Amino acid sequence: MWAQETPSPDPTQVPDDAKNPQSPTSPSAGTEVGGGEIVVPDSRIRHDEYSVAEPLTVIGKDEITQAGFNSATDALQSNAVTQGTGQINNAYGGFVTDGGTGANTLGLRGLGPARTLILLNGRRLAPGGTRGSVVAADLNVLPTAIIDRIEVLKAGASSVYGSDAIAGVVNIITDKALTGLRLDAQTNIPQVGAGIDRRVAATFGVQADRLSLIGSLEYRKRDSLARRDVPFFNCPIGGFLDGEGSAFGSGDNFSPDDPRACFTLDNGGVTINTLGLPTRNAIGRTSGVVGRFNRFVPAPGVTTGPFPGYLGVGTYDRDTFDFNQEREPLITGVKTYTGLMSGSYKLDGLGNAEIYAELLATRRKSSAPLYRQLSLDYLQGNPLLPADLRGGLFANPTNTSSGQNIAARAFIGYGLTQARQTVDYVRASGGIRGDFFLPKWRYDAYVGKSWNDGTSEGESFLTDRLANSLNVVANANGTFSCATAAANPTCVAAPALTADVIGGNLPAAFRNYIVQNTIGKTQFRETTYAFNIDGPVFALPGGDAQLALGVEHRRQSINDQPDLNSINGNLFGLTAATPTVGKDNVKEVFGEIFLPILSDRPFFHRLNLTGSARYTDYASYGSDTTYKVAAEWEPFRGFGFRGSYGTSYRAPALAEQFLGATSGFLPTNSDPCSALPVAADQSPNQQIIARNCAAIGLPADFEQRNGITSFRVGGAEAGLSAETSTNWTVGAVVSPRLPESVGSLSLSLDYFDVKVKNGVSDLDGGTILSRCYSNANFDPTAGFCRFVQRDANQALTVTSSFVNLSENIVKGYEFNGRYARDLFGGRFILNANVTHYTEQSTRLFPEEFLTDANGIVTAPNWVGNFDATYTYDGVTFRYGLDWIDGDHHRTYDYFAFDNLTGVSDPDLVQDYKDSYFLEANDYFLHSLSVQFNVQKIYQFTFGVRNLLNKAPPRISAIGFTTVGNAPLYSGYDYVGRSFFANANIKF
């Protein structure tokens, strides 16, 4: 992608792209507001020349097309914008994410989407999505075909735009000068033949003396891409080592080339076709000799031995793979319908006023089928069991056993269940702007309202129906009836235990009874009122000082109503939730002043200062004042320095405050103390865990047989407070005036430093359990263990609310370069963007040392984006390269780091290297395209992304969420080589 960082250019220079009359324009950064004046994203002040004191990236419409992106979402989540920081995208279909399944968000500098402000034509986009945790704008609502350019400010701007502009501001600007009709169509086809992405659009514009109308209609359909469609994911293995440098998977139970190594419980597998019973003698499935087992697979051909009809299995010879599970989406499918209409009308009065309005309306329909394992708990004495199995005790009572002990548990591969999301998003806005009564002053009065209405549907097992169906009585005719049939006349008794039932052959009537489509509704509303004025106040040697003043009032409300079964905790094995209902409002007063102190003086070709301040008053969290100062100094033309320092104050989002108690279930193997290997076979981390589990009285052979319940709640009642942060940048810009025969060159280097204090975040249950029991300085009542409870039956409950992190720090350097020149009768342009992070650290509690993730596999410390274009006679050739730095040691250090001592134990680091492969080579993605512009009417683009079909790196299935053996990280391409074609026709 062409991602131009925009140093302060000489306003007398002609933009490179203007020299190619057949290429659609890529204007200088900034939004025109009339009279040739522009406003850039780091300021609300209009300038008569382009001037930026902070790093700003501009992405043009043509560059989005040439790079092969089929949506604004894909462009915004690319490395050119995100600099390698992880984003929530369509690869997260099987996970609980903010905004619900299918939502796509953007967070700059790795600080999360709640700290990045998304604007459309200079006005904020309200959060969107489904379920209670709606905290950030959903990029799916953005139009694509009508985009003129995208501007990305990677510096704090809270005093200019409000509290959520901590990490930066992204402004999507639509074409304001469009006339006539333009048709646009694009198709992206992965080489694997599945997951095709199509988009068609029509944009139109009418320009008259007083009236301007511009609009677009778009439809996009991206087919789901299943894991089975991509060969790279066909055989996930544990990937453990047998000593540092040994072959990947050499430490697994099976050789990597053995088909049995795929989909074990270490990675990708789930127990199915299996019966759990109290430990007893049986012939081993693998050994063929009698041993002691508590898991068994049906074997009708086995007629001898202590347990005829069954064979005993262990961890690695049980059934753990169902072909249906690989039909789960690797990339979720989505359909979006988007319409945008904007217009303005000029008046004769009210200061030559202009009335303007904009309407954005979208519908997103996503789907993410989910593979489910079903465990049926057969009660003690249950007539559904053979007589010889009724008396044992396999597990204590669960929520499906009607308060009774469990004699047997069938682990069944149920198949796919459907899940769908529909989100309707509307933003209506408008206002009036014109000349203020002071000379050269302007005013702008604005009002906007956003509506988000989401519906989340999913097929779910109902806990009460499972309990009713498993509590049966025998009828005289050999059939069974529910014991509660009088109160539940529609109850269908569970099937008697047989080999067919264990194998997943369940009666249709039983399936229909225990599964119900559950529906949740989410409403999010935001209303904004704003009024601001700006204009000159006095003269300075460098020009007129400019002042902007304004007030803003925003109101937000959320009303998420989960399905009644979710509210009642009646969803078996799935997240349950109570309603999330809350509202907040904020009143703000802000001011900004621009001081052009000197210009065209010796050693002061340009010296500008900017200061801004904002007073913020939240109904929920009180008030505070933020400020920012920025400066740019060019000692002589083409060489300058710039810098800024700002503060921010962010009240928690509505979901962070009021999220209804959301319960979920973690698998039993999420208990770190469960089924640990014998001491001689334990990894370094397992040795620590074993020691800690023994400290609370658990036996060495402890096995968790209860589901683990997790709760996630809003933090308002837990004392959640507002977060504060500081953000400063300093940099240098070189843009020398060179002879035309040499070309034009612009270079910049900026250092950034962001510190968030008291940062709002939440912790997932798996992280809490891992950090609790893996701590070398274990305290069962402190640290992460304070969120963990064990009852008398060793059943675990993990409770997490939104909390204030002690600290979050991101530091680094960003380099941008651009070179252009006429070459062989055409125009050559080379762009480069390289970011080097020096720190990406956090600590959760004040007593901890900062834990720095910088350089680990999913948080690279070097990221680069390069592209070269050559345009000749209406034809543009483009080559693009994305680069993510690899890692060969930082991840080991990170996992061995003790946040209470601040040290990575060298012996523990070596133990990790001996046991796991947590490394990645440098990752390169290449792309090629050619674009034809014909008579300024037709434009055709063809290209390929991931030219070399580069697969993501393989790591051991430990420490990270993995897809196959690849870490789940948005910087990697899971689709593989894909081809794209775009046609654009103007009438």
Side-chain angles (χ1 to χ4, degrees):
M1 177 187 296
W2 179 84
Q4 179 189 3
E5 199 281 333
T6 52
S8 303
D10 185 338
T12 65
Q13 289 183 331
V14 179
D16 292 316
D17 295 281
K19 297 181 180 180
N20 176 18
Q22 299 217 49
S23 174
T25 59
S26 261
S28 298
T31 306
E32 289 198 18
V33 295
E37 297 163 330
I38 55 176
V39 175
V40 294
D42 65 342
S43 173
R44 290 182 180 269
I45 289 177
R46 294 169 293 130
H47 302 278
D48 59 4
E49 65 178 43
Y50 172 55
S51 176
V52 176
E54 295 177 289
L56 185 69
T57 299
V58 182
I59 302 168
K61 169 184 167 55
D62 263 14
E63 288 68 45
I64 294 174
T65 303
Q66 292 167 2
F69 296 118
N70 204 8
S71 70
T73 300
D74 295 340
L76 286 168
Q77 292 185 328
S78 68
N79 280 337
V81 175
T82 65
Q83 276 80 50
T85 56
Q87 310 296 323
I88 300 298
N89 57 23
N90 285 334
Y92 285 77
F95 299 86
V96 177
T97 58
D98 289 339
T101 300
N104 283 241
T105 55
L106 173 64
L108 297 176
R109 300 299 193 210
L111 294 173
R115 301 188 184 105
T116 298
L117 178 61
I118 309 295
L119 306 175
L120 176 63
N121 290 323
R123 305 295 184 179
R124 64 175 56 235
L125 280 176
T130 60
R131 307 189 65 164
S133 188
V134 176
V135 299
D138 180 6
L139 303 180
N140 289 294
V141 308
L142 294 171
T144 297
I146 201 172
I147 287 177
D148 181 64
R149 63 192 182 276
I150 298 171
E151 300 173 352
V152 184
L153 172 69
K154 287 165 284 187
S158 293
S159 61
V160 177
Y161 282 105
S163 62
D164 42 0
I166 293 172
V169 181
V170 178
N171 190 13
I172 297 92
I173 300 171
T174 60
D175 190 339
K176 298 298 184 183
L178 178 65
T179 58
L181 174 66
R182 190 170 64 203
L183 301 180
D184 185 78
Q186 181 162 328
T187 300
N188 289 47
I189 304 176
Q191 181 174 290
V192 296
I196 297 174
D197 189 358
R198 315 162 187 85
R199 179 178 56 84
V200 294
T203 57
F204 53 90
V206 176
Q207 307 295 333
D209 290 342
R210 293 175 177 267
L211 177 68
S212 173
L213 288 176
I214 296 174
S216 70
L217 294 172
E218 296 188 36
Y219 169 72
R220 182 192 183 198
K221 181 178 185 292
R222 183 173 188 176
D223 295 340
S224 172
L225 182 70
R227 287 196 298 262
R228 68 178 183 179
D229 294 327
V230 182
F232 178 81
F233 301 99
N234 284 348
C235 179
I237 65 176
F240 305 130
L241 305 183
D242 188 23
E244 183 179 7
S246 59
F248 188 81
S250 59
D252 292 356
N253 193 70
F254 301 104
S255 171
D257 56 3
D258 188 327
R260 294 175 298 172
C262 308
F263 295 99
T264 68
L265 293 182
D266 291 326
N267 189 14
V270 59
T271 298
I272 58 172
N273 306 334
T274 301
L275 179 64
L277 294 171
T279 302
R280 62 187 298 166
N281 290 334
I283 297 174
R285 183 186 210 178
T286 302
S287 67
V289 299
V290 174
R292 300 285 287 172
F293 300 93
N294 60 19
R295 299 290 191 277
F296 308 88
V297 293
V302 177
T303 58
T304 60
F307 193 16
Y310 290 89
L311 292 172
V313 293
T315 300
Y316 292 102
D317 60 349
R318 67 181 68 180
D319 291 340
T320 56
F321 174 68
D322 184 342
F323 179 78
N324 285 321
Q325 74 188 57
E326 293 309 286
R327 294 169 54 202
E328 267 194 4
L330 175 66
I331 304 295
T332 58
V334 63
K335 295 180 182 178
T336 57
Y337 308 81
T338 306
L340 177 72
M341 176 67 76
S342 64
S344 62
Y345 186 80
K346 296 178 181 178
L347 305 176
D348 290 328
L350 301 176
N352 298 314
E354 180 182 50
I355 299 173
Y356 61 91
E358 185 174 270
L359 177 65
L360 170 69
T362 71
R363 165 166 284 192
R364 169 171 62 87
K365 302 182 75 173
S366 305
S367 61
L370 179 66
Y371 178 82
R372 297 294 304 274
Q373 177 215 54
L374 175 63
S375 58
L376 294 181
D377 285 343
Y378 288 89
L379 316 181
Q380 281 184 338
N382 196 317
L384 295 174
L385 289 170
D388 63 331
L389 300 182
R390 295 175 185 174
L393 175 62
F394 177 74
N396 293 318
T398 66
N399 53 4
T400 63
S401 70
S402 303
Q404 302 179 48
N405 289 330
I406 297 163
R409 176 174 293 162
F411 299 92
I412 298 168
Y414 184 85
L416 292 178
T417 56
Q418 296 301 313
R420 296 170 292 274
Q421 302 79 36
T422 301
V423 180
D424 293 321
Y425 183 95
V426 176
R427 189 188 78 171
S429 60
I432 184 172
R433 57 194 171 212
D435 296 329
F436 204 48
F437 62 86
L438 296 174
K440 297 184 179 181
W441 278 67
R442 299 276 291 175
Y443 71 89
D444 190 342
Y446 168 86
V447 60
K449 187 173 180 65
S450 297
W451 297 263
N452 177 92
D453 291 277
T455 301
S456 179
E457 302 180 55
E459 293 179 334
S460 307
F461 302 133
L462 299 188
T463 300
D464 60 349
R465 293 191 180 186
L466 277 169
N468 292 335
S469 67
L470 288 162
N471 186 14
V472 304
V473 293
N475 300 320
N477 61 359
T479 61
F480 305 95
S481 298
C482 299
T484 60
N488 301 287
T490 62
C491 180
V492 176
L497 183 70
T498 64
D500 272 355
V501 167
I502 297 172
N505 187 10
L506 301 172
F510 175 67
R511 284 178 175 263
N512 293 337
Y513 174 66
I514 64 173
V515 172
Q516 179 171 303
N517 189 46
T518 57
I519 301 175
K521 301 283 188 178
T522 305
Q523 291 184 341
F524 194 99
R525 303 289 186 263
E526 181 176 274
T527 304
T528 301
Y529 304 92
F531 179 79
N532 59 277
I533 57 175
D534 71 281
V537 285
F538 52 83
L540 287 171
D544 289 338
Q546 303 283 330
L547 178 67
L549 300 171
V551 295
E552 188 168 321
H553 176 58
R554 293 193 307 277
R555 297 201 306 260
Q556 290 185 333
S557 65
I558 188 171
N559 184 357
D560 177 69
Q561 296 293 330
D563 189 273
L564 185 61
N565 287 290
S566 177
I567 296 173
N568 295 333
N570 198 34
L571 304 183
F572 180 71
L574 280 182
T575 298
T578 57
T580 298
V581 180
K583 60 183 179 180
D584 203 355
N585 69 82
V586 58
K587 303 178 183 69
E588 297 179 297
V589 178
F590 58 87
E592 182 179 2
I593 189 167
F594 171 70
L595 303 173
I597 296 176
L598 292 171
S599 66
D600 298 323
R601 303 288 179 90
F603 302 106
F604 290 97
H605 175 68
R606 187 202 311 265
L607 178 62
N608 298 330
L609 295 178
T610 303
S612 58
R614 177 178 289 253
Y615 173 77
T616 301
D617 185 12
Y618 279 94
S620 58
Y621 282 92
S623 60
D624 201 357
T625 300
T626 59
Y627 65 89
K628 183 177 182 178
V629 292
E632 53 178 330
W633 171 40
E634 280 188 87
F636 48 87
R637 186 190 300 271
F639 178 77
F641 303 95
R642 61 189 180 190
S644 68
Y645 177 85
T647 64
S648 68
Y649 169 83
R650 186 180 81 89
L654 294 182
E656 294 169 336
Q657 297 182 52
F658 304 113
L659 183 68
T662 302
S663 67
F665 297 93
L666 300 173
T668 56
N669 60 7
S670 294
D671 184 348
C673 296
S674 178
L676 286 167
V678 296
D681 296 333
Q682 288 174 358
S683 68
N685 191 51
Q686 288 172 332
Q687 292 171 11
I688 296 173
I689 293 172
R691 184 169 65 247
N692 295 339
C693 297
I696 59 173
L698 294 178
D701 61 349
F702 170 73
E703 183 176 350
Q704 181 61 265
R705 294 183 180 174
N706 297 293
I708 302 172
T709 303
S710 64
F711 289 96
R712 183 178 185 235
V713 299
E717 295 182 359
L720 187 67
S721 61
E723 67 180 31
T724 60
S725 68
T726 59
N727 188 321
W728 66 276
T729 64
V730 61
V733 177
V734 178
S735 184
R737 303 193 69 176
L738 300 175
E740 187 174 340
S741 59
V742 176
S744 63
L745 176 69
S746 61
L747 304 171
S748 68
L749 179 65
D750 292 275
Y751 174 78
F752 56 87
D753 183 318
V754 187
K755 291 186 176 71
V756 178
K757 298 181 179 179
N758 228 28
V760 177
S761 184
D762 68 326
L763 308 172
D764 65 86
T767 297
I768 291 172
L769 287 169
S770 176
R771 292 285 294 270
C772 168
Y773 287 99
S774 298
N775 194 332
N777 297 295
F778 178 68
D779 184 340
T781 63
F784 285 90
C785 295
R786 72 183 77 169
F787 304 117
V788 179
Q789 289 184 323
R790 285 185 184 268
D791 65 15
N793 294 319
Q794 301 304 331
L796 280 172
T797 300
V798 185
T799 302
S800 171
S801 67
F802 282 90
V803 296
N804 291 104
L805 299 177
S806 175
E807 201 164 7
N808 190 312
I809 298 174
V810 181
K811 299 178 182 179
Y813 298 87
E814 184 172 347
F815 166 81
N816 288 272
R818 176 178 172 84
Y819 173 73
R821 66 163 294 183
D822 293 328
L823 187 65
F824 304 123
R827 188 68 172 169
F828 172 76
I829 301 175
L830 175 66
N831 293 285
N833 176 291
V834 178
T835 300
H836 173 48
Y837 296 94
T838 58
E839 184 175 352
Q840 301 180 69
S841 62
T842 61
R843 58 180 161 199
L844 300 182
F845 306 110
E847 65 271 17
E848 294 183 349
F849 284 84
L850 284 164
T851 301
D852 191 359
N854 190 45
I856 69 172
V857 170
T858 57
N861 59 355
W862 285 93
V863 180
N865 177 262
F866 312 86
D867 67 77
T869 60
Y870 180 72
T871 302
Y872 179 84
D873 196 23
V875 180
T876 299
F877 301 91
R878 178 191 182 274
Y879 164 74
L881 172 66
D882 284 344
W883 164 54
I884 295 175
D885 190 34
D887 170 53
H888 295 282
H889 69 90
R890 277 291 300 126
T891 304
Y892 299 113
D893 295 339
Y894 174 75
F895 283 125
F897 182 79
D898 188 328
N899 54 26
L900 295 182
T901 65
V903 175
S904 291
D905 184 350
D907 293 334
L908 188 56
V909 170
Q910 187 58 51
D911 287 338
Y912 279 123
K913 289 182 177 181
D914 289 338
S915 303
Y916 312 123
F917 185 80
L918 299 172
E919 303 179 25
N921 292 324
D922 286 20
Y923 187 76
F924 297 97
L925 287 178
H926 306 264
S927 62
L928 284 176
S929 69
V930 58
Q931 185 173 82
F932 302 92
N933 288 281
V934 183
Q935 299 177 350
K936 298 184 181 181
I937 298 176
Y938 307 100
Q939 184 187 81
F940 303 98
T941 309
F942 306 94
V944 56
R945 291 186 54 77
N946 195 352
L947 177 67
L948 302 182
N949 202 27
K950 178 69 174 179
R954 291 198 310 169
I955 62 170
S956 302
I958 193 79
F960 295 100
T961 299
T962 55
V963 181
N965 276 104
L968 182 58
Y969 165 57
S970 62
Y972 298 137
D973 178 23
Y974 303 110
V975 176
R977 182 185 293 118
S978 60
F979 305 91
F980 63 90
N982 177 280
N984 190 294
I985 304 173
K986 186 175 182 180
F987 297 91

